[in-house]
Amino acid sequence: MFSAKVQLIMRLRFMNAYGSEIHLDELSDSLKIVTKRVESLRLPIFPGGWPKDPTRDVSSVMLNALLEYEISSMRNWTSEISVAGGKIDFGHYQRDRLSHAMEVELGSSSRLDSDILKLCLIQDSNPSTSVSVMTVSDAVKKRFHAEKSANDVIDRISTLRPVVQGIDHLIVVELDVPDNSERGYTKHILNGKNKFPKEKGLFLRKAKKSDIKYFLKKNRSKFRVS
């Protein structure tokens, strides 16, 4: 059972390439660091922001920017690194060596296969480097335009397994949140419509990355559970 404290934070669940859950103690130090930071964040929503899709309330634009800002601000973590003939969303370095590579999948599923292949190439060339894909749970998927949940990624891994070497080393990180029946739900949410009505554009469409980064830096404390 989750404690009241845990119910106030984002939940990260880690699974291996077959969908079996991985306990926190079994994770690399790199992922343990990410867990502590991400679980302190509040989910950015903007109710009513998508009239054609009334069930949608999560701002994927702001969530993606928030994850990039927070993860890349941690020591020895960086974003948009060039490896394996392409770019990886996040990398963690230890003693100037890439110890973990992570891709975040929050939008279109069109790049999933190429991202998985890049991660597998990294792990194959350096077996000591752990690799992961972070995406949302089935429940959060329904609340914005994400095309792939963690379960969908695991299904895709199963399809690619016969043709992609080293895919079984991939870790799937599922981002989930308390639902509105659980204690602490309102504290977990950052309602952009109520808190930042004048900044609607930052939540609903692709603004300049520099503008969103400045906004997050200025309002960082509001996006974290106190």
Side-chain angles (χ1 to χ4, degrees):
M1 178 179 292
F2 288 100
S3 67
K5 182 179 180 181
V6 174
Q7 289 172 341
L8 298 178
I9 58 181
M10 279 196 196
R11 297 170 179 164
L12 290 184
R13 186 163 71 109
F14 299 88
M15 292 171 282
N16 64 22
Y18 290 89
S20 297
E21 192 162 350
I22 304 172
H23 193 272
L24 186 63
D25 292 342
E26 302 174 77
L27 298 174
S28 65
D29 290 340
S30 301
L31 283 179
K32 289 178 182 177
I33 295 170
V34 168
T35 300
K36 188 174 182 180
R37 177 60 60 89
V38 173
E39 286 188 337
S40 71
L41 304 178
R42 306 172 76 186
L43 185 70
I45 67 171
F46 206 99
W50 300 268
K52 294 182 179 180
D53 187 1
T55 63
R56 179 179 177 183
D57 67 346
V58 174
S59 170
S60 57
V61 172
M62 189 59 69
L63 177 57
N64 192 67
L66 179 63
L67 290 172
E68 180 177 355
Y69 181 81
E70 290 292 342
I71 294 176
S72 62
S73 68
M74 295 187 296
R75 184 179 180 184
N76 297 328
W77 277 90
T78 187
S79 61
E80 292 294 314
I81 59 172
S82 298
V83 288
K87 287 188 178 294
I88 295 296
D89 289 335
F90 299 104
H92 181 240
Y93 290 83
Q94 292 180 327
R95 298 187 180 91
D96 297 322
R97 178 187 61 81
L98 182 65
S99 60
H100 187 84
M102 175 188 286
E103 288 281 12
V104 175
E105 306 285 341
L106 295 181
S108 171
S109 62
S110 60
R111 71 174 196 172
L112 178 61
D113 286 7
S114 62
D115 286 346
I116 287 176
L117 179 59
K118 282 187 291 185
L119 292 170
C120 291
L121 288 172
I122 291 171
Q123 211 283 327
D124 184 61
S125 63
N126 190 348
S128 64
T129 301
S130 55
V131 292
S132 66
V133 173
M134 178 185 288
T135 189
V136 296
S137 66
D138 290 331
V140 176
K141 173 186 172 182
K142 296 175 182 178
R143 297 173 61 182
F144 72 117
H145 76 282
E147 296 179 8
K148 294 290 184 182
S149 68
N151 287 327
D152 294 327
V153 171
I154 290 170
D155 288 342
R156 188 57 183 160
I157 290 173
S158 177
T159 302
L160 294 173
R161 182 169 284 115
V163 294
V164 179
Q165 184 175 348
I167 200 168
D168 285 345
H169 294 288
L170 195 63
I171 297 170
V172 180
V173 186
E174 180 187 76
L175 178 64
D176 199 11
V177 295
D179 62 43
N180 59 9
S181 67
E182 296 183 65
R183 183 179 178 183
Y185 173 77
T186 54
K187 290 185 178 180
H188 169 80
I189 298 297
L190 186 287
N191 190 322
K193 187 174 184 178
N194 292 341
K195 293 284 187 181
F196 305 104
K198 295 182 180 179
E199 306 296 342
K200 180 178 180 179
L202 297 181
F203 284 81
L204 302 188
R205 54 182 178 268
K206 291 185 177 180
K208 291 182 179 180
K209 291 184 68 173
S210 58
D211 291 342
I212 299 179
K213 185 175 181 180
Y214 175 77
F215 171 78
L216 288 172
K217 183 177 181 180
K218 184 178 178 181
N219 298 284
R220 189 177 190 184
S221 63
K222 293 183 176 63
F223 284 86
R224 306 183 75 174
V225 178
S226 57

